[in-house]
Amino acid sequence: MSGLRMRSVAVVAGAGVMLAIAAAPAGAAGTPAHIRGGETVPVYSYEDAVRESVWVQTTLDNDQDGVPDKVAVDITRPRAAVKVPVILEASPYYSCCGRGNESELKQYDANGVITKQPLFYDNFFVPRGYAFVAADIAGTNRSTGCMDVGGREEVLSAKAVVDWLNGRARATYADGTPAVATRWTNGKTGMIGKSWDGSVANGVAATGVEGLETIVPISAISSWYDYQRYNGVLRTNDYPEYLHRVVNGRPAGVCDQVVKQLDEGSDDATGNYNAYWAERDFRPDARRVHASVFIAHGINDTNVTTTQFARWWERLDVPKKIWLAQQGHVDPFDIRRGEWVDTLHRWFDRWLQGLRNGIDREPQATIETAPGTWVNERSWPASAARTTRVALGNGDGSTGTLGGKVNGGSRTWSDAPDLSEDVAVASPNSAVPGRVSFLSAPLTQPVRISGTPTVTLKVQVDKPTTELTARLVDYGTANRVNYLGRGEGITTLTTESCWGASTTFDDACYRDTAEDVVTSDHAIVTRGWQDAAHHVSLRFVTPLRPGRWYSVTVPLQPTDQRIAAGHVLGLILQASDNEYSTPQSTGATVRLDLRGSSLSLPLVGKLPAPGATAPTVPAAPPSGKRVAPPRFQPLLPG
C-alpha cells in the first residue's frame, strides 16, 4: 500500500463491455435519480464509480499486539452527490477461496486500490443507487486480529463496519487520514452472503446493531455447534483449527494463542455443548434481531444442513421470507437466476430504499417441489402439516412396517462402521448387517413431509454409548435433482449471461447453469444423528448402563419433500456413520424395543395402514458413489 491514500481511480472500459448510464440529475420533488416508478433503476456510471479501501477499528485486540484490530473494507459506490444505502458482505474468503460458482477473488491495482469485487452485487446495485462494501473478517486477507471461527472477534469485526457506516466507529485510509462514511451513506445497511458469509450476517443481526435493516443469509449457519457436531457426534476432529488455517491471513505464529483456544474450547473429547459453543450460537439472541430476514437454503444441503435455517427461522419475529431449493450447497443465483435477482432487487429496494413495492405482503415461502417446479406458499413449514406419530411394526420379523397399531417385537444390530449409506438403503427387504429397516405400505395418495421429523428409540446398548443414525427414504422412481453429484444439483454451462454493468477489470457476466436431474428409484428424504450418551442433555455425557432401557430421540434434519402415490416411505436405522461424521465407533450392539419406539412426522396427508408384512421394494444396486466410505473429510462452509 506504500502509504498511498486509497481513493477512487478511473477504470477504462474495453470495447464491447457493458456500461451503466452516466449519472443523472435528481428527479421531481427531490426524488433521487435512481428511483423511478417505484423501483431503483441504473442511472449512475459503474465505470466512474468511487473505488476505495478503508480500515475500520474494532473494539477488540485478540492478536494481543496492543493495537485495536482493524477490518479491511473495500468500497464501490456511485460518484454522485447523494447518500446511498449499503449492501455489505463480510467474508473470510476474499483471498483464500473465492466467492460464487466461479470462485472469484478480490483484485487490486498496483496501488492497492480495489478493481474487482467478487459476485454481481456491485455491478448490479451500484448503478441503482447502492454502495457495495466487502469486508475482510478479522484475521483474513488484509485485516488484522485473528480469526476465531464464529466467535466474538468474527462477529464484532463485521458489526464494527455497520457501526462505521452509521458514524459510531473510526476508520482510516491507508495513509492514516480519517475516513468518514456518513459523507456518502445514509447508514441503512443490508448484509448478504452464502455459507460462512451468511453466518456472519446472522451473527451481526443477533447483536441488534442499529442501522442493519435487513440480512440475506444463503445456506448459512445459525449455530456453529450444530455445524461441527450432530447432537454430540463429531463431524471431524480439530474442525475449528482446520477452518482457521484455511482462511488465516496473518503471519505464522501471530494467532497461535487463538488456535489453542479453539482447540481447548471446542472440546472434541466429549462433544458437549459448552460456553465456547454458546458464544457461537446465534439462535438464543434471535429476539434481538430487528432486521428483516430473507433466507435461502438447499433442502438437500449436506454441508450446512437444514437445521441451520429452520431453527433460526422459527425463532425470528421480524418480517421474513424464505426460498427452499432441491439442490445442496448452492446459491440461488445458480439455480433460478432471473427470478432470484429480481426478488433480491425488490427486497433491497423495500428495506434499504424504503420503496413500498409489496414484497413484504407476498407469500413468505417459495419452494421447489420437484426439478424446475416452484410454488409460493403463505408460510413455512406448511400450515396444513400435522405432527403424526407412526408406529414401528414387527412386519415379518426382519423388515418392519411403518404405521398401524403397535404390535411389539424387537430388533438387534451391531455397529458396522464401514456400512455405507448406499448399501444401507438400497435393499430394504434384505438382511443387511448393521442396519434395520421399516417400510410403509405403498402410498394411496401423495403425502408431504414439511418440518422436522424425529424418531424415538427405546434401546438397550452394551456399551456406555453409541451413535444412532436414522434415514427416511422415498422408495419409488422419479426425476430428482442430483444433489449428491459434483455440482450438488447444478451443471455449469459454457454460455454466459450478464447481470449489471461491467468494466475491463470487473465484468458482470457469469457462466449459466442448469439443474442436474437424474432418474432414480429411491432418494434420501432426510438424515439424523444422535450420540446416545447425550440423550439427557447436550451439555454433559450420561453413560448408558448395559441391560438398562433408555429412550433416545434422534432429530432428523428439517425438510420439505413430497412423496408420490405408489411410493413407499422407509426408515433405515444404524449405529455409527462414517460418511457424514467422524463418530467414536464403540462396536456396540443395540437392541430396539418396537413397542416403545416411534417415528414422528410433520405430515400433510396420511400414511396408509400397513399390511401384515412390509411391502417388497425392488432391490436396487448401490449407486457406486460411496462404495467404501472414508471417514468424513472436513468441509468449508463456503
Side-chain angles (χ1 to χ4, degrees):
M1 286 156 311
S2 63
L4 293 174
R5 179 177 300 186
M6 295 195 175
R7 301 291 194 181
S8 62
V9 294
V11 181
V12 179
V17 178
M18 291 170 42
L19 294 176
I21 302 169
T31 301
H34 58 270
I35 297 176
R36 294 180 189 170
E39 67 175 356
T40 58
V41 295
V43 299
Y44 303 120
S45 170
Y46 182 69
E47 176 190 11
D48 194 42
V50 176
R51 293 174 172 85
E52 59 187 356
S53 301
V54 305
W55 278 258
V56 175
Q57 182 174 300
T58 76
T59 59
L60 302 176
D61 177 24
N62 81 338
D63 59 10
Q64 300 181 18
D65 64 356
V67 178
D69 298 332
K70 294 182 179 181
V71 181
V73 176
D74 295 307
I75 302 161
T76 308
R77 59 183 174 87
R79 189 183 297 278
V82 58
K83 289 189 175 183
V84 296
V86 171
I87 297 171
L88 165 63
E89 184 174 44
S91 176
Y93 290 134
Y94 286 132
S95 64
C96 76
C97 312
R99 306 312 299 127
N101 191 39
E102 298 175 34
S103 301
E104 291 187 308
L105 300 171
K106 285 183 177 179
Q107 295 179 16
Y108 303 90
D109 67 13
N111 295 320
V113 178
I114 187 73
T115 57
K116 178 180 177 60
Q117 302 266 38
L119 306 176
F120 74 99
Y121 303 135
D122 55 330
N123 309 81
F124 186 87
F125 285 104
V126 169
R128 287 171 167 81
Y130 293 83
F132 178 69
V133 172
D136 300 324
I137 293 172
T140 70
N141 201 15
R142 301 198 294 177
S143 294
T144 64
C146 293
M147 161 55 69
D148 60 355
V149 189
R152 292 180 70 247
E153 180 83 9
E154 176 179 306
V155 172
L156 295 183
S157 69
K159 175 183 176 291
V161 179
V162 179
D163 284 330
W164 173 66
L165 292 168
N166 285 272
R168 298 188 298 269
R170 296 177 56 195
T172 61
Y173 294 100
D175 62 5
T177 58
V180 181
T182 52
R183 294 172 179 168
W184 53 265
T185 179
N186 58 20
K188 290 186 176 182
T189 303
M191 294 188 70
I192 191 170
K194 175 175 176 271
S195 202
W196 200 331
D197 307 356
S199 311
V200 178
N202 284 338
V204 175
T207 70
V209 61
E210 185 179 351
L212 184 62
E213 303 298 327
T214 192
I215 61 171
V216 184
I218 302 166
S219 305
I221 295 166
S222 61
S223 164
W224 282 87
Y225 178 87
D226 280 356
Y227 181 70
Q228 298 178 37
R229 304 281 188 272
Y230 291 137
N231 303 300
V233 179
L234 274 65
R235 288 190 85 170
T236 193
N237 296 306
D238 302 322
Y239 210 164
E241 302 96 296
Y242 162 76
L243 294 174
H244 172 94
R245 287 195 305 272
V246 172
V247 303
N248 178 44
R250 304 307 309 283
V254 169
C255 296
D256 285 354
Q257 182 61 32
V258 171
V259 174
K260 180 181 178 182
Q261 292 168 355
L262 296 177
D263 179 44
E264 294 174 350
S266 56
D267 188 17
D268 284 357
T270 68
N272 289 348
Y273 181 98
N274 55 23
Y276 170 94
W277 295 112
E279 179 184 312
R280 292 159 173 80
D281 186 352
F282 311 136
R283 297 169 192 163
D285 289 324
R287 57 184 172 76
R288 301 182 65 184
V289 176
H290 60 74
S292 62
V293 180
F294 183 7
I295 289 173
H297 214 103
I299 294 172
N300 293 303
D301 194 337
T302 60
N303 182 343
V304 178
T305 53
T306 56
T307 187
Q308 298 291 348
F309 85 78
R311 292 186 181 176
W312 185 232
W313 171 264
E314 68 188 11
R315 296 187 183 210
L316 292 168
D317 186 22
V318 294
K320 58 186 181 180
K321 187 173 182 64
I322 192 167
W323 271 37
L324 298 176
Q326 288 288 332
Q327 276 69 22
H329 199 61
V330 180
D331 193 308
F333 182 75
D334 296 311
I335 300 170
R336 201 181 184 215
R337 189 166 292 180
E339 293 85 351
W340 172 251
V341 174
D342 178 66
T343 305
L344 192 62
H345 179 198
R346 295 178 64 230
W347 185 261
F348 282 144
D349 275 3
R350 170 66 184 89
W351 298 109
L352 297 182
Q353 300 279 357
L355 301 180
R356 302 283 179 173
N357 55 22
I359 194 169
D360 50 324
R361 299 190 299 274
E362 295 174 358
Q364 274 190 343
T366 298
I367 305 167
E368 187 178 20
T369 61
T373 301
W374 294 78
V375 299
N376 294 318
E377 297 194 346
R378 181 167 56 89
S379 60
W380 189 88
S383 58
R386 298 290 179 267
T387 300
T388 302
R389 182 180 179 275
V390 180
L392 306 188
N394 195 35
D396 62 6
S398 176
T399 302
T401 57
L402 291 177
K405 296 181 180 180
V406 178
N407 57 10
S410 65
R411 293 290 187 277
T412 301
W413 75 93
S414 295
D415 187 12
D418 292 331
L419 178 62
S420 72
E421 178 175 85
D422 281 348
V423 173
V425 306
S427 302
N429 294 104
S430 303
V432 175
R435 76 103 209 261
V436 293
S437 61
F438 301 86
L439 301 176
S440 75
L443 302 186
T444 56
Q445 59 183 1
V447 300
R448 177 183 177 188
I449 301 171
S450 180
T452 305
T454 62
V455 58
T456 298
L457 306 175
K458 185 177 181 181
V459 295
Q460 280 184 342
V461 182
D462 66 348
K463 301 289 184 181
T465 191
T466 186
E467 278 76 26
L468 294 170
T469 302
R471 292 178 172 89
L472 282 179
V473 187
D474 172 6
Y475 290 103
T477 299
N479 293 328
R480 298 180 170 101
V481 171
N482 183 26
Y483 70 91
L484 290 175
R486 184 174 182 180
E488 298 195 53
I490 63 168
T491 299
T492 302
L493 307 178
T494 58
T495 59
E496 285 189 338
S497 56
C498 302
W499 301 87
S502 297
T503 69
T504 300
F505 303 104
D506 189 353
D507 70 68
C509 304
Y510 294 88
R511 292 283 186 88
D512 295 317
T513 60
E515 285 195 304
D516 180 7
V517 179
V518 296
T519 301
S520 61
D521 55 18
H522 69 277
I524 310 297
V525 175
T526 183
R527 305 165 176 84
W529 305 267
Q530 174 73 44
D531 174 55
H534 282 90
H535 71 284
V536 175
S537 173
L538 294 178
R539 294 182 179 273
F540 52 83
V541 171
T542 305
L544 309 183
R545 297 180 182 178
R548 184 172 177 177
W549 288 100
Y550 295 87
S551 182
V552 180
T553 296
V554 182
L556 281 75
Q557 293 295 316
T559 191
D560 198 298
Q561 298 286 10
R562 289 154 169 82
I563 302 173
H567 288 204
V568 170
L569 181 65
L571 172 65
I572 306 296
L573 302 176
Q574 64 187 89
S576 59
D577 174 11
N578 283 344
E579 289 177 90
Y580 291 92
S581 66
T582 302
Q584 307 301 312
S585 302
T586 62
T589 295
V590 181
R591 185 183 179 196
L592 176 69
D593 175 24
L594 301 185
R595 191 179 297 275
S597 303
S598 62
L599 171 65
S600 177
L601 292 177
L603 197 63
V604 180
K606 294 179 62 176
L607 295 183
T613 60
T616 299
V617 173
S623 70
K625 289 188 288 292
R626 296 182 303 272
V627 175
R631 284 193 175 275
F632 174 82
Q633 298 299 309
L635 296 169
L636 280 175

